[in-house]
């Protein structure tokens, strides 16, 4: 169907029961009864691949994923994989690793098998992807083996991957592994002779405009052209995408070098930004013409970037491009894209239609999340009649409306300033067998605040509490913003403290920071320090800066002492905390207050080297002025 068709026509399309298989392929792999080469799966059942059908990996990658998913790794499974295709390419390995990333053991087995296939060569990207999957307590032995092999094959871990993995190790309290990784990374940087060459090439490109002279200078360097080298240079030029494109095109024209799937995908990630969109689509067209496909990891990264930058037309165009290829995004990717489209004052319903239609045209059964994505955009755009139709279609597909569905409808009513209808709809939800939850009430209350109906928002909150719902952190932040929007800072403070004390609410860190900042603006130091203590009890880093600045300008020595006691989790505040307060007093020219505070400090603070050095330097400065 043409995408300019109406939404209702689209809804009729969704209600079709049967769908023809695409391009002569069925939707799932065929399995045959038990045979001598059957492989038992984890449930004890036996499956065997239809070895009479030969599919190329890159033309039907889901067959590979399905085969790996239902079978344990074994010699028989390896034979079945080899029967599927004699060769393995970069895109299929990325696809399989992304699909099986919750199973480190199987991804390791597949990667090891693929690495031994003729004609296949791994890449830094593939190794980085594998390392992120293996960085778990039960697969660290394989992680270190993979990292060692990566280095032996001439690949190096990039800074982004290093920092991501280091963060995971630290969060999991795997201290020895995190220290070992840091040492490995530092040694790698020292031993990597390529780094110096890359730096020289990048500097030569950035110094002047691209010209024949620049090309000759690069030739004179005697560069050894490899995929890894090209990727590193273009990544260093990522903030100058047009210069990176000049280099990429020049390298592609050099003798004895041809861009690969790996370099095309890496460069596409660099160009996938708002200031190089035209060039991005040019590279995608060139890559496709050269017989290469975008891998699924590259798609996910670029799509998320497009969505984050609100380049929704390009995000949808990229989704359509991938859905027409062999490495189709998942139904979860579809729902995430629909959610992104729905955000904003006026969602583009044509984009919603294109995404959902492409998903269904590929023979993919729409999930509840996809229906919710369509419904969210319709309600946000005020298309309530069509939103009702999509609910009917969703029911026919076996999905009953729930709190998510009804919350979206209430949000739409609130956005359209149809608040009475929103209240009535919430009251009638229970009659439809769906009991509102606190999220639903939050949407209604936020809608009233947004429409400047402050009293109705408070009444809705009171009604919610009367029905024994417990406010959560999201609702607390909505209420707080509502009070602050009316300049009722005292009420906001009283509300938050009562919620913490009476129902043991744990507000978001952002809620604490917002209110502390507002209290300091109106010089309510005591209340701000009380929130600081509550913040500390909830395990958040204390938001001290605005309080320190206030005390430095207007506070007393007693205020500073009270603050330092509230700030510390120990009996005595840290020397660093004292140092910060002293410096703030000095910056405001309040030297006597700083000196009085020093006399009240514990002995170990007064005699600390940094404290003595600070007061000594200030004293010297004052003498010089005199």
């Amino acid at each position: 169907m043409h995408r300019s068709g109406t939404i209702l026509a689209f809804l009729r399309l969704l209600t079709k029961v049967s769908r023809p298989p695409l391009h002569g392929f069925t939707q799932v792999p065929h399995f045959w009864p038990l045979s001598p080469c059957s492989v038992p799966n984890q449930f004890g059942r036996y499956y065997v691949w239809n070895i009479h059908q030969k599919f190329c990996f890159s033309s039907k990658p889901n067959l590979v994923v399905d085969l790996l998913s239902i079978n344990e790794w074994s010699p028989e499974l390896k034979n079945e994989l080899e029967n599927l295709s004699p060769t393995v390419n970069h895109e299929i390995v990325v696809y399989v690793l992304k699909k099986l990333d919750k199973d480190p053991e199987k991804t390791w087995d597949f990667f090891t098998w693929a690495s031994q296939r003729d004609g296949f060569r791994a890449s830094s990207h593939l190794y980085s992807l594998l390392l992120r999957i293996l960085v778990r307590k039960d697969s660290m032995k394989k992680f270190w083996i993979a990292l060692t092999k990566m280095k032996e094959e001439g690949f190096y871990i990039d800074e982004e991957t290093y920092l991501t993995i280091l963060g995971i190790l630290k969060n999991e309290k795997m201290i020895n592994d995190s220290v070992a990784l840091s040492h490995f990374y530092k040694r790698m940087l020292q031993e990597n002779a390529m780094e110096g060459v890359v730096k020289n090439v990048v500097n030569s490109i950035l110094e002047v405009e691209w010209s024949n002279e620049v090309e000759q200078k690069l030739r004179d360097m005697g560069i050894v052209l490899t995929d890894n080298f090209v990727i590193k240079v273009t990544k260093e030029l990522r903030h100058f995408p047009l210069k990176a494109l000049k280099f990429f095109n020049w390298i592609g024209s050099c003798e004895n070098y041809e861009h690969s799937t790996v370099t095309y995908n890496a460069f596409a990630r660099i160009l996938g930004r708002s200031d190089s969109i035209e060039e991005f689509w040019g590279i995608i067209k060139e890559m496709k013409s050269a017989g290469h496909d975008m891998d699924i990891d590259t798609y996910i990264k670029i799509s998320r970037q497009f969505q984050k930058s609100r380049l929704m037309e390009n995000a949808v165009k990229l989704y359509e491009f991938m859905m027409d290829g062999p490495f189709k995004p998942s139904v979860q990717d579809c729902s995430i894209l629909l959610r992104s489209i729905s955000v904003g004052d006026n969602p583009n319903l044509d984009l919603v239609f294109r995404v959902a239609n492409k998903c269904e045209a590929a023979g993919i059964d729409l999930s509840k999340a996809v229906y919710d994505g369509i419904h969210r955009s319709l309600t946000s755009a005020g298309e309530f009649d069509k939103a009702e139709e999509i609910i009917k279609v969703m029911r026919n597909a076996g999905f009953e409306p729930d709190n998510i569905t009804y919350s979206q409808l209430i949000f739409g009513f609130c956005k359209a300033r149809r608040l009475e209808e929103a209240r009535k709809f919430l009251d009638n939800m229970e009659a439809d067998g769906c009991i509102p939850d606190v999220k639903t009430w939050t949407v209604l209350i936020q809608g009233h605040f947004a429409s400047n109906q402050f009293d109705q928002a408070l009444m809705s909150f009171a009604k919610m509490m009367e029905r024994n719902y417990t406010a959560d952190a999201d609702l607390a932040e909505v209420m707080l913003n509502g009070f602050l929007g009316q300049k009722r800072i005292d009420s906001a403070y009283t509300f938050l403290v009562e919620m913490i004390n009476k129902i043991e609410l744990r507000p978001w860190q952002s809620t604490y920071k917002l209110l502390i900042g507002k209290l300091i603006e109106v010089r309510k130091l005591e209340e701000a320090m009380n929130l600081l203590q509550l913040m500390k009890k909830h395990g958040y880093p204390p938001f001290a800066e605005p309080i320190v600045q206030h005390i430095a300008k207007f506070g007393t020595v007693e205020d500073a002492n009270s603050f330092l006691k509230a700030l510390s989790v120990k009996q005595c505040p840290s020397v660093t905390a004292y140092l910060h307060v002293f410096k703030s007093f000095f910056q405001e020219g309040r030297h006597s207050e700083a000196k009085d505070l020093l006399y009240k400090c514990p002995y170990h603070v007064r005699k600390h080297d940094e404290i003595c050095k600070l007061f000594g330097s200030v004293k010297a400065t004052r003498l010089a002025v005199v």
Side-chain angles (χ1 to χ4, degrees):
M1 185 199 308
H2 195 274
R3 57 174 172 250
S4 63
T6 66
I7 293 292
L8 288 179
F10 160 60
L11 296 176
R12 286 195 293 273
L13 176 65
L14 293 180
T15 59
K16 292 195 295 184
V17 177
S18 61
R19 303 180 181 94
L22 297 179
H23 310 300
F25 292 107
T26 54
Q27 290 301 307
V28 295
H30 295 289
F31 301 108
W32 295 92
L34 185 62
S35 73
C37 61
S38 298
V39 183
N41 74 353
Q42 59 182 324
F43 303 108
R45 300 187 182 94
Y46 284 79
Y47 296 104
V48 63
W49 200 261
N50 179 3
I51 60 176
H52 301 292
Q53 288 181 304
K54 297 290 192 294
F55 294 109
C56 175
F57 271 10
S58 61
S59 67
K60 203 67 176 175
N62 276 329
L63 294 176
V64 182
V65 174
D66 290 336
L67 178 61
L68 289 166
S69 298
I70 62 177
N71 292 290
E72 295 301 319
W73 192 263
S74 66
E76 291 84 359
L77 178 58
K78 289 198 293 185
N79 289 336
E80 294 297 336
L81 288 172
E82 289 165 7
N83 284 333
L84 280 174
S85 179
T87 59
V88 183
N89 62 27
H90 171 268
E91 300 97 314
I92 187 63
V93 177
V94 171
Y95 190 79
V96 171
L97 293 187
K98 290 294 289 184
K99 290 292 184 179
L100 299 179
D101 61 359
K102 300 296 187 293
D103 191 339
E105 190 76 25
K106 196 166 286 185
T107 53
W108 168 257
D109 288 333
F110 175 76
F111 183 86
T112 303
W113 170 83
S115 299
Q116 297 167 353
R117 304 295 294 160
D118 291 339
F120 177 77
R121 175 169 165 76
S123 65
S124 292
H125 179 212
L126 276 174
Y127 269 114
S128 296
L129 190 56
L130 179 66
L131 291 174
R132 293 183 191 218
I133 295 170
L134 294 177
V135 61
R136 304 183 187 190
K137 289 183 178 179
D138 57 353
S139 56
M140 285 308 295
K141 183 177 180 180
K142 293 181 175 61
F143 171 88
W144 287 109
I145 293 173
L147 193 57
T148 303
K149 286 184 63 178
M150 181 182 187
K151 184 180 177 183
E152 289 173 352
E153 293 180 21
F155 302 117
Y156 295 91
I157 185 171
D158 61 78
E159 184 181 16
E160 180 186 354
T161 301
Y162 162 68
L163 293 175
T164 299
I165 293 174
L166 187 65
I168 294 171
L169 292 174
K170 288 181 177 179
N171 288 338
E172 294 296 323
K173 311 297 184 191
M174 298 164 70
I175 306 302
N176 291 338
D177 287 296
S178 65
V179 171
L181 180 66
S182 295
H183 289 161
F184 182 95
Y185 183 69
K186 289 175 183 176
R187 284 199 314 273
M188 181 199 75
L189 292 178
Q190 293 170 356
E191 297 170 4
N192 188 1
M194 186 192 299
E195 290 294 329
V197 180
V198 169
K199 185 176 181 180
N200 289 337
V201 169
V202 170
N203 288 339
S204 298
I205 294 171
L206 293 180
E207 284 173 355
V208 294
E209 291 299 315
W210 190 271
S211 64
N212 292 333
E213 288 74 18
V214 172
E215 293 179 4
Q216 188 58 49
K217 187 175 181 180
L218 296 179
R219 290 191 197 96
D220 292 342
M221 290 182 184
I223 302 168
V224 178
L225 297 180
T226 65
D227 287 353
N228 207 28
F229 175 80
V230 173
I231 291 170
K232 287 189 73 65
V233 172
T234 52
K235 192 166 186 177
E236 289 298 318
L237 292 169
R238 62 190 178 277
H239 299 304
F240 308 91
L242 299 187
K243 288 202 170 190
L245 180 60
K246 293 284 189 182
F247 171 78
F248 188 84
N249 288 336
W250 175 73
I251 286 292
S253 66
C254 291
E255 287 187 37
N256 303 321
Y257 184 81
E258 184 177 344
H259 283 304
S260 66
T261 294
V262 178
T263 55
Y264 272 119
N265 275 274
F267 193 54
R269 290 195 289 273
I270 290 170
L271 291 182
R273 43 191 279 177
S274 58
D275 55 351
S276 53
I277 284 294
E278 185 177 343
E279 291 77 12
F280 167 78
W281 287 112
I283 282 295
I284 296 304
K285 183 178 180 181
E286 180 183 321
M287 178 173 70
K288 196 69 178 174
S289 298
H292 303 297
D293 290 301
M294 179 179 287
D295 66 58
I296 194 66
D297 191 49
T298 297
Y299 164 74
I300 291 171
K301 284 182 170 64
I302 297 175
S303 180
R304 297 291 188 273
Q305 181 59 39
F306 282 165
Q307 293 172 50
K308 182 180 178 181
S309 303
R310 302 307 300 162
L311 299 170
M312 298 313 304
E313 175 73 33
N314 287 279
V316 172
K317 184 178 176 181
L318 185 62
Y319 178 80
E320 292 171 325
F321 170 81
M322 289 298 289
M323 290 298 285
D324 287 335
F327 303 103
K328 292 176 173 51
S330 68
V331 69
Q332 288 82 8
D333 292 315
C334 175
S335 62
I336 290 171
L337 181 54
L338 287 172
R339 175 179 287 274
S340 294
I341 296 171
S342 70
V343 175
D345 293 333
N346 188 26
N348 188 327
L349 297 182
D350 181 59
L351 296 182
V352 174
F353 166 79
R354 284 167 55 183
V355 172
N357 189 41
K358 202 70 179 179
C359 185
E360 201 213 23
I364 299 173
D365 290 329
L366 303 189
S367 65
K368 170 69 163 53
V370 172
Y371 283 113
D372 281 335
I374 301 168
H375 182 260
R376 185 183 300 107
S377 292
L378 291 171
T379 53
S380 183
E383 299 283 355
F384 297 107
D385 291 340
K386 292 168 184 176
E388 187 176 344
E389 289 295 323
I390 199 65
I391 290 178
K392 292 178 183 177
V393 176
M394 186 170 70
R395 276 197 170 109
N396 291 337
F399 301 111
E400 283 299 317
D402 56 15
N403 273 303
I404 294 175
T405 313
Y406 289 124
S407 294
Q408 290 173 176
L409 194 52
I410 290 172
F411 171 80
F413 281 133
C414 291
K415 185 177 178 181
R417 301 294 191 265
R418 294 164 62 173
L419 296 167
E420 186 176 350
E421 291 177 73
R423 292 192 296 271
K424 288 181 179 178
F425 188 84
L426 188 143
D427 290 336
N428 293 331
M429 277 178 63
E430 291 187 40
D432 290 339
C434 184
I435 300 175
D437 60 13
V438 68
K439 303 297 182 187
T440 313
W441 283 97
T442 300
V443 170
L444 179 64
I445 293 167
Q446 189 171 24
H448 282 98
F449 279 133
S451 300
N452 207 30
Q453 294 193 8
F454 184 80
D455 292 338
Q456 281 288 354
L458 295 185
M459 288 176 60
S460 295
F461 178 78
K463 183 184 282 189
M464 185 200 83
M465 297 297 285
E466 287 172 3
R467 297 189 183 184
N468 296 320
Y469 290 93
T470 302
D472 62 7
D474 283 331
L475 179 53
E477 185 148 307
V478 166
M479 293 294 294
L480 201 72
N481 281 311
F483 282 119
L484 295 177
Q486 296 287 319
K487 309 296 183 185
R488 302 187 186 191
I489 297 176
D490 290 336
S491 298
Y493 171 76
T494 302
F495 167 80
L496 189 64
V497 172
E498 284 189 2
M499 289 293 101
I500 293 170
N501 293 333
K502 290 183 178 179
I503 66 171
E504 298 183 352
L505 174 76
R506 185 177 187 269
W508 298 124
Q509 182 180 5
S510 60
T511 306
Y512 274 122
K513 293 175 73 171
L514 173 65
L515 188 51
I516 287 173
K518 293 295 183 181
L519 288 168
I520 290 299
E521 285 179 9
V522 294
R523 301 193 183 186
K524 291 186 176 292
L525 179 62
E526 183 179 348
E527 290 85 349
M529 287 200 291
N530 182 38
L531 287 185
L532 196 71
Q533 290 178 307
L534 292 172
M535 194 177 190
K536 179 182 65 179
K537 288 180 182 178
H538 282 138
Y540 295 124
F543 185 50
E545 192 56 36
I547 298 178
V548 174
Q549 291 176 0
H550 173 82
I551 292 174
K553 289 182 179 180
F554 312 108
T556 64
V557 174
E558 288 71 25
D559 290 334
N561 249 332
S562 298
F563 161 72
L564 287 163
K565 290 177 182 177
L567 185 64
S568 178
V569 295
K570 304 174 183 177
Q571 269 193 331
C572 181
S574 68
V575 173
T576 303
Y578 276 104
L579 199 61
H580 185 35
V581 174
F582 286 137
K583 287 181 178 178
S584 298
F585 270 132
F586 288 144
Q587 287 170 359
E588 295 297 328
R590 302 182 69 190
H591 300 88
S592 60
E593 284 82 355
K595 189 175 181 181
D596 289 343
L597 179 61
L598 180 66
Y599 288 141
K600 292 178 179 291
C601 292
Y603 179 81
H604 78 279
V605 174
R606 292 200 306 271
K607 296 302 180 182
H608 193 276
D609 289 344
E610 289 294 322
I611 301 294
C612 293
K613 183 178 178 182
L614 175 66
F615 275 85
S617 64
V618 171
K619 182 179 180 181
T621 301
R622 294 182 70 187
L623 287 173
V625 172
V626 173

